[in-house]
Amino acid sequence: MNKTIITVVGKDRVGIIAKVCTYLADCQVNILDISQTIVRGYFNMMMIVDTSNSTKSFDELISDLDQVGMETGVSIKAQHEDIFKKMHRL
């Protein structure tokens, strides 16, 4: 399994989750876990996804998610789980 951490941050608006999840589904990326919250009008979402069956390369996913973020007015970042774990180790 190829796990990737995706974070989405920005001003809250209608359709953020729908736009991101639709893109991932179209690319055959499976959402394993998702958490989202809105604090004082700011949207924050973290997803753990499995990219094992993705129809796009990791670099294409990053580039496309960046474009989805621009279209929805949010910042979307993706990184492999192992890098995320190493960066956030105590």
Side-chain angles (χ1 to χ4, degrees), residues 51-68:
T51 58
S52 297
N53 297 318
S54 177
T55 57
K56 302 223 176 174
S57 71
F58 188 74
D59 289 338
E60 288 174 313
L61 285 173
I62 289 173
S63 178
D64 289 353
L65 285 170
D66 190 46
Q67 182 63 37
V68 170

Side-chain angles (χ1 to χ4, degrees), residues 11 14 19 52:
K11 190 135 177 79
V14 173
K19 188 89 168 178
S52 297

Side-chain angles (χ1 to χ4, degrees), residues 10-11 15 18 22 32 34 39 44-46 48-49 52 55-56 58 61 64-65 72-73 75-76 79 82 87 89:
K11 190 135 177 79
T22 298
L32 302 172
I34 183 171
V39 178
N44 188 354
M45 178 169 66
M46 181 175 162
I48 301 173
V49 300
S52 297
T55 57
K56 302 223 176 174
F58 188 74
L61 285 173
D64 289 353
L65 285 170
T72 55
S75 172
I76 304 176
Q79 53 189 223
D82 55 342
M87 287 177 50
R89 216 178 0 186

